[in-house]
Amino acid sequence: MKLHIALCDDDRAWRDHMIRLLEGYGKEKGIEMLLTSYGSGESMLAEESLCPDAAFLDIELSENPEDRYGSGLMLAREINRLWPLCQIVYL
């Protein structure tokens, strides 16, 4: 069984860093992972087939006041509605 982890952060360098950390941890522990990363909450939620086991979310995703999911807390609310078994980790 693969552990599906979604990562959402508007900072690409930070996303890449977290992906490397998670890949390393998975290899070290022998855990098979499917890692997907997103630059915004809207892009994450737009992927209809996504059903992650865990989501790593930036608390402040965007400073744009028109961004519906500019906060990781608002995104978490929608994740809980769509995928109630998904575990959330705030970055």
Side-chain angles (χ1 to χ4, degrees):
M1 182 177 131
K2 271 188 189 175
L3 182 62
H4 185 184
I5 298 176
L7 177 67
C8 189
D9 195 311
D10 58 332
D11 183 333
R12 180 156 185 93
W14 185 249
R15 281 194 323 264
D16 292 344
H17 175 70
M18 287 302 299
I19 291 290
R20 285 191 303 277
L21 286 175
L22 289 167
E23 285 174 338
Y25 180 79
K27 285 179 185 173
E28 178 183 313
K29 299 297 181 183
I31 301 169
E32 191 175 357
M33 294 184 192
L34 171 62
L35 300 169
T36 52
S37 67
Y38 304 90
S40 71
E42 289 191 5
S43 65
M44 182 179 176
L45 296 174
E47 191 164 327
E48 294 178 13
S49 64
L50 181 68
C51 185
D53 297 300
F56 286 70
L57 309 177
D58 183 8
I59 294 277
E60 294 180 18
L61 286 169
S62 170
E63 294 184 16
N64 181 353
E66 293 181 20
D67 188 349
R68 184 173 173 191
Y69 301 107
S71 157
L73 299 174
M74 301 210 32
L75 177 57
R77 193 172 300 152
E78 188 65 10
I79 289 171
N80 284 329
R81 187 182 73 74
L82 293 171
W83 310 297
L85 298 178
C86 179
Q87 300 297 304
I88 296 174
V89 177
Y90 295 104
L91 303 173

